[in-house]
DNA sequence: CAACGCCATGCCCAATCTCCATCGCACGTT
DNA sequence: AACGTGCGATGGAGATTGGGCATGGCGTTG
């Protein structure tokens, strides 16, 4: 990949002698010497001073050496990262996440990841926020996404993004005028609830849980697509993290407004990884990619 | 210098097609394609996805591309710096400096520089601190060293080092016990003065000038070597910047102690370069080297 | 179905790289 | 003063690599 001349030059600079460098690299001194003479001709300047005892770098040589060493070291790093990729080409990754991320963020991230690792299989399951840590800790899943909170020592949040729960509404809804909405603001409006195969989660914020349990949903569905359409058709509003509707918000089809509760607005979702158990190769790659995608969310 | 494969790979990634890249680089598509296949074999992984319309980088390819682009860009920079060196191989540099730097720092720095630029000639002249800026500004000299102070807009201090004037004494001198010495402390001791071909400089600190003018030197010499020896032989003490005696201090032959005057201890010497007029190639190289050597002083 | 774009491959020649042997030079030893 | 030993530089033969040309296989497009 990199020209042999680079290695030759580096070794010669290191050992201060063409012959010693040649011995170290198992090539003949003449071959090595020619490469260095070629380099000097190409750059139009001497790279070494020829002293009776051997070769010493000139100023230009020092400059070039820095570049060459840097290049070769960096290449080693790149190669080992590529080897990691190769090891991760096949395998299985299990992901346990709170449902808001299953709506939009995770399916899309996985789809993009799949393009690079077509032979990897996935399990992508929703779970209650409080259950995710246990599922990752005991190895049922490789990675988890849940609201950030205290973790057992066997787990660690690899990366976090702010993820307040707010109100998702049609783009012409009156609540859109407010920058933040209170529980009282939303009470009058019809409400759409998601009902998955899971028991309803013990909620992250006690006040919010109490508030929502008092509401009577106009529509309950376990189909996210149905809920999205229902919101667009003005059947009601729903409560989700922004992350579930990034694309629709972007296109102006729905609007999202935060609550006026500091506790809710401080909510963060994090990528949970095992701290002790070494992750499988594909899990490591996927985790790295997810952190990247989360960074993109952050800046958006 | 760098393998052609790097350029081939970069161009192919850029254009998304072997044929287009080959056309842009004036080589045949088959030759270029082979190099890429070789790369993939060497790394043991595909770098491109072959789509009907052309080539798209895989994850491993993205990784490698970063490395390759970085390497080639950096090489361009290195090459141009080497070209600068070559342009500076010959020529002349004029340096005007306060005398303390002529004692030790500048001759040694120039000697090291000369090893890399043997064909450059130098003028190295002492001047009064107050005259240096004018001499550099009007082009009489390319570079200057003087005490830092206000400069005309046509000049600029490229780099500065602290350079308080202090007392140079034999290593077993009683004043050595003090961390800082006062004017009164030194008054009882015999004093050695340097007298160059220059009129005695208008001194940098008014209080110090007054103090020194009251002293009667036991020995006046224009030979620095003579002064150094005289100090070692305990004939007296002298007033210099540390920079004039770095080597002797290091070897323990003489000691140096600062005065207790904040004004004197705040003194700095700086490398003065023209801000408008572009410096000659050798002057630019020498200036860069001098800044490097000054940095070494700083940390010493 | 034909035409066109793409990358992959076989073949041949030219350029490059490597090796071995040798040279000239500067030093230290005898 | 002569010699031996280390150094880099160089010449020539042979192996390796890189390049160009022609062609093949494949998918898309008209």
């Amino acid at each position: 990949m990199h020209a042999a001349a680079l290695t030759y030059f580096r070794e010669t600079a290191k050992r201060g002698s063409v012959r010693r460098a040649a011995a170290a690299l198992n090539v003949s001194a003449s071959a090595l010497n020619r490469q260095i003479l070629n380099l000097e001709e190409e750059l139009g300047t001497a790279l070494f001073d020829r002293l009776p005892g051997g070769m010493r770098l000139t100023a230009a040589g020092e400059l070039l050496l820095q570049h060459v060493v840097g290049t070769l070291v960096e290449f080693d790093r790149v190669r080992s990262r590529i080897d990691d990729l190769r090891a991760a080409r096949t395998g299985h990754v299990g992901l346990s996440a709170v449902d808001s991320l299953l709506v939009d963020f995770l399916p899309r991230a996985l789809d993009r990841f799949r393009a690079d690792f077509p032979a990897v299989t996935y399990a992508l399951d929703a779970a209650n926020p409080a259950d995710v840590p246990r599922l990752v800790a005991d190895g049922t899943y490789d990675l988890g996404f849940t609201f950030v909170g205290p973790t057992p020592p066997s787990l660690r949040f690899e990366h976090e993004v702010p993820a307040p729960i707010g109100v998702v509404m049609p783009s012409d809804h009156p609540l859109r005028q407010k920058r933040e909405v209170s529980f009282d603001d939303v009470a009058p409006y019809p409400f759409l609830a998601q009902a998955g195969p899971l028991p309803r989660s013990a909620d992250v914020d006690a006040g919010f849980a109490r508030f929502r349990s008092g509401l009577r949903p106009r529509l309950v569905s376990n189909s996210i697509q149905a809920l999205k359409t229902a919101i667009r058709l003005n059947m009601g509003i729903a409560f989700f993290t922004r992350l579930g509707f990034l694309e629709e918000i972007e296109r102006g089809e729905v609007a999202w407004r935060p609550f006026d509760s500091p506790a809710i607005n401080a909510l963060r979702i994090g990528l949970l990884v095992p701290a002790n158990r070494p992750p499988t190769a594909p899990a490591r790659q996927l985790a790295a990619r997810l952190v990247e995608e989360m960074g993109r969310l952050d800046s958006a």
Side-chain angles (χ1 to χ4, degrees), chain A:
Chain A
M1 149 96 198
H2 280 297
L6 302 198
T7 330
Y8 292 1
F9 172 71
R10 178 179 61 173
E11 199 68 25
T12 305
K14 178 177 162 191
R15 312 212 172 242
S17 150
V18 170
R19 293 174 110 102
R20 279 196 293 278
L25 296 174
N26 282 312
V27 292
S28 74
S30 67
L32 202 156
N33 183 46
R34 282 194 150 83
Q35 295 282 350
I36 288 182
L37 292 175
N38 285 345
L39 274 189
E40 293 186 321
E41 186 173 0
E42 179 188 342
L43 297 174
T45 185
L47 296 172
F48 291 97
D49 285 327
R50 274 72 172 173
L51 308 178
M55 322 259 284
R56 214 197 45 214
L57 286 170
T58 63
E62 295 274 6
L63 233 48
L64 187 67
L65 179 63
Q66 262 195 313
H67 168 63
V68 166
V69 168
T71 296
L72 293 176
V73 166
E74 192 192 310
F75 177 62
D76 271 353
R77 276 201 293 263
V78 169
R79 201 219 294 264
S80 93
R81 289 181 63 187
I82 289 182
D83 288 346
D84 290 350
L85 282 181
R86 195 156 43 120
R89 262 204 307 233
T90 173
H92 180 84
V93 188
L95 250 139
S96 169
V98 295
D99 44 16
S100 8
L101 291 176
L102 294 177
V103 178
D104 181 287
F105 175 73
L106 278 178
R108 279 206 283 174
L110 275 189
D111 186 54
R112 277 197 286 262
F113 184 73
R114 200 180 43 79
D116 288 326
F117 297 87
V120 175
T121 59
Y122 309 91
L124 175 55
D125 293 331
N128 286 331
D131 294 339
V132 172
R134 184 181 47 78
L135 293 167
V136 176
D138 69 15
T140 311
Y141 293 89
D142 299 294
L143 306 171
F145 271 104
T146 189
F147 290 95
V148 174
T151 61
S154 63
L155 295 177
R156 168 170 67 81
F157 280 105
E158 177 85 11
H159 194 72
E160 307 175 2
V161 285
I165 292 172
V167 183
V168 184
M169 62 190 88
S171 50
D172 56 353
H173 196 278
L175 280 181
R176 184 180 194 163
Q177 305 311 321
K178 307 184 87 78
R179 235 173 37 84
E180 297 191 325
V181 300
S182 65
F183 293 160
D184 290 345
D185 287 336
V186 303
Y189 296 103
F191 159 61
L192 314 175
Q194 190 194 10
L198 303 171
R200 187 62 244 161
S201 71
D203 271 299
V204 198
D205 181 68
F208 180 61
R210 215 172 324 113
F211 157 70
R212 186 163 64 182
S213 68
L215 295 177
R216 295 280 299 281
R218 168 185 281 187
L219 170 66
V220 176
S221 170
N222 64 359
S223 157
I224 293 297
Q225 201 45 57
L227 284 179
K228 284 187 176 177
T229 307
I231 293 171
R232 278 225 304 283
L233 296 179
N234 213 349
M235 290 185 62
I237 61 180
F239 307 139
F240 282 102
T241 290
R242 269 183 62 228
L243 305 184
F245 294 81
L246 289 173
E247 198 178 310
E248 286 83 0
I249 294 171
E250 173 98 10
R251 286 205 300 260
E253 295 173 2
V254 304
W256 181 91
R257 289 294 177 275
F259 284 111
D260 61 359
S261 149
I264 295 182
N265 288 332
L267 288 177
R268 301 167 71 76
I269 286 183
L271 170 60
L272 205 54
V273 301
N276 312 321
R277 167 165 48 97
T280 67
R284 202 168 49 240
Q285 291 300 328
L286 177 57
R289 177 71 68 95
L290 287 172
V291 167
E292 202 180 294
E293 302 262 357
M294 288 167 84
R296 209 167 298 152
L297 284 189
D298 245 350
S299 62

